[in-house]
Amino acid sequence: MTTRHLAALSLLALLAACNRPGEAPVTAPAAEAAVALKAPAGVYALDPTHATLQWSVLHNTISNYTARFDKLEATLTLDPANLGSSRITATIDPTSVDAAYPADYEASHAGTGFHSWNDDMANNAKFLNAKAFPTIRFVSTSVEQTGARTAKVTGDLTFLGQTRPVTLDATFNGEIERHPFAQVPAVGFAAEGRFKRSDFGMAVGPVGDEVTIRFDGEFIQQAAPAAPAN
């Protein structure tokens, strides 16, 4: 089940927006640009205890099969005055796939060599093939602001050894001046996108080709590096 893409995502990706160095920033309509983020510029790290990356695919043409990745990291470099110069990088551990499979997998899948459905999805060469490709990665490349709190974030998704562009619909959920525990600014984003797993070389079979990914997460501002002593 090729759910790995999601990774995407990334998130992933989730979430902010960015142009490659040297590219002209995307300009939002004046009415939209007036609604600026109040969060200070800087580097924000994903809070893994408040982040979710889910994926779903059509199963046997009759239902959406949903799972998640439990281990992901993301770094957001945020420029609230110009989202086009912001950027996001996310990495996903494919061995952390979690489908909450309730049955006795070894009893019902004797001879597969895998101890659980999670183990099968993560390590089977037909699926996420984590031994050969231990990381799923998303790196943003551009952003198009579509509303006061929304944007289309496009980035390079690297999965199963191949890199393809994926676009996510991102939503800015909110910000706080002081995180209750970290005591620094924090922001929250959601992102959703779709892509075809066959684009990354995965066979389709009885599972649908299109994968839907959904990310929700909070990012906490990181301390600026100390200035070198004179």
Side-chain angles (χ1 to χ4, degrees):
M1 211 156 287
T2 119
T3 74
R4 49 306 191 56
H5 319 1
L6 344 305
L9 271 247
S10 47
L11 136 159
L12 282 189
L14 359 190
L15 321 229
C18 77
N19 285 37
R20 286 182 176 144
E23 290 183 340
V26 176
T27 301
E32 306 295 0
V35 184
L37 278 67
K38 297 178 182 178
V43 176
Y44 291 72
L46 180 67
D47 176 0
T49 63
H50 295 89
T52 301
L53 181 58
Q54 294 181 314
W55 55 263
S56 64
V57 292
L58 188 63
H59 184 254
N60 288 335
T61 73
I62 58 174
S63 68
N64 288 316
Y65 185 83
T66 301
R68 58 180 286 166
F69 289 105
D70 291 331
K71 293 181 180 180
L72 60 153
E73 298 178 352
T75 299
L76 167 66
T77 302
L78 179 65
D79 182 354
N82 179 13
L83 287 182
S85 66
S86 301
R87 58 189 182 274
I88 177 82
T89 299
T91 58
I92 301 161
D93 180 354
T95 66
S96 71
V97 64
D98 185 356
Y101 188 80
D104 185 335
Y105 188 77
E106 289 186 298
S108 60
H109 294 74
T112 64
F114 298 104
H115 301 296
S116 67
W117 177 223
N118 291 346
D119 181 24
D120 195 337
M121 282 195 296
N123 296 302
N124 194 320
K126 297 187 300 181
F127 301 140
L128 299 182
N129 201 5
K131 288 184 172 62
F133 306 103
T135 301
I136 300 169
R137 184 175 175 84
F138 178 86
V139 179
S140 65
T141 56
S142 67
V143 60
E144 176 189 358
Q145 190 168 351
T146 56
R149 305 173 72 85
T150 60
K152 287 187 178 295
V153 179
T154 297
D156 290 330
L157 175 64
T158 299
F159 170 64
L160 293 181
Q162 300 189 45
T163 300
R164 300 283 185 272
V166 171
T167 297
L168 303 171
D169 292 314
T171 300
F172 170 58
N173 288 333
E175 60 194 325
I176 52 177
E177 293 183 3
R178 188 172 294 277
H179 188 279
F181 299 114
Q183 300 298 304
V184 294
V187 295
F189 290 91
E192 186 170 316
R194 295 172 179 80
F195 59 89
K196 291 184 177 180
R197 56 198 183 96
S198 60
D199 289 343
F200 294 84
M202 183 174 283
V204 177
V207 178
D209 192 13
E210 186 175 75
V211 177
T212 298
I213 59 174
R214 167 77 186 187
F215 168 86
D216 288 276
E218 299 178 11
F219 290 78
I220 299 175
Q221 188 183 47
Q222 303 299 288
N230 292 330

